[in-house]
Amino acid sequence: MGLFNKQRTEPFSPHARLASRYHSARVNLLIVVALTVLNAILLASGGNSYFLFSVFVPYYTVLMGMLLCGKFPAEFYGEEFESFEFFGNGILIAAIVIAVLMLALYVLCYVMSGKWRGGWLVAALVLMTADTLIMLWLGGFDADALTDLIFHVWVVICLALGVHACYKLKTLPPEPSDDPSDPFTMAGQESPEEDDDV
């Protein structure tokens, strides 16, 4: 072996890799919720920006509420809306409330999955998968939607890996550590196998 082959880096332990993957899934879930809220605010304020890393159905719900209540500029509406009688603001308020409730489910999944409760991450995975399928059903599959679809698939895969990591970690024996502050060991923390799921 050569001289340079003697330099070795300490690899992450199985516990570290799995814990990192689980926490990464949770962080991605929180980012998705935050960007969805930002998208809805930009939409309601008349902005033209849209962040792809977000949930589709809550945003679409607010979009339809604004559309049906005539909140977009006149040039936005085509001939099919010439004789359309727009709804009152109550429809938009209801759409916003529904969107907030849907996003609250994602936030609940994030919060409750904090102590190795993998079942809540499973719930988030189901919600995001359903959101992706609904996006495809309503928007179809074309070049314009491809980037959004790629980001949705990325989030679904990340959540699935997080779920797998959580349940895999529960099958491993606790890893001893002299450093109780080490976030990738079981020392100084509740062991995953001691926590209950949903």
Side-chain angles (χ1 to χ4, degrees):
M1 302 294 287
L3 176 64
F4 296 103
N5 290 330
K6 292 182 179 179
Q7 184 178 0
R8 298 169 57 189
T9 57
E10 188 68 24
F12 280 140
S13 69
H15 292 84
R17 289 195 301 271
L18 293 171
S20 178
R21 193 176 297 165
Y22 182 76
H23 293 308
S24 176
R26 294 186 67 242
V27 168
N28 275 289
L29 178 61
L30 190 61
I31 292 173
V32 164
V33 172
L35 290 180
T36 305
V37 172
L38 184 56
N39 277 339
I41 292 173
L42 289 172
L43 175 65
S45 62
N48 294 322
S49 299
Y50 175 79
F51 294 95
L52 294 171
F53 205 64
S54 61
V55 188
F56 171 77
V57 175
Y59 178 84
Y60 184 78
T61 302
V62 175
L63 175 67
M64 290 304 298
M66 293 187 65
L67 180 68
L68 295 175
C69 294
K71 298 301 180 181
F72 290 111
E75 59 270 15
F76 181 85
Y77 298 94
E79 296 179 357
E80 62 271 19
F81 283 91
E82 285 183 357
S83 59
F84 185 81
E85 185 174 342
F86 293 108
F87 294 96
N89 290 333
I91 295 295
L92 178 56
I93 293 172
I96 293 173
V97 169
I98 292 170
V100 168
L101 291 175
M102 286 188 284
L103 287 176
L105 289 176
Y106 287 90
V107 174
L108 181 64
C109 290
Y110 169 79
V111 172
M112 296 303 293
S113 65
K115 292 186 176 181
W116 307 105
R117 297 187 181 103
W120 286 98
L121 209 59
V122 171
L125 174 60
V126 171
L127 288 172
M128 198 65 197
T129 301
D131 186 81
T132 304
L133 294 175
I134 292 171
M135 182 185 69
L136 285 173
W137 178 55
L138 291 176
F141 184 81
D142 54 28
D144 293 334
L146 182 59
T147 308
D148 209 354
L149 177 61
I150 290 172
F151 276 97
H152 268 72
V153 171
W154 167 263
V155 175
V156 169
I157 291 173
C158 185
L159 290 173
L161 290 174
V163 169
H164 175 265
C166 181
Y167 288 103
K168 181 70 175 177
L169 193 57
K170 290 181 179 182
T171 66
L172 298 178
E175 184 179 41
S177 174
D178 295 330
D179 182 8
S181 65
D182 186 352
F184 298 121
T185 66
M186 299 302 104
Q189 299 185 26
E190 294 180 82
S191 177
E193 58 265 29
E194 294 174 0
D195 291 310
D196 296 325
D197 291 329
V198 177

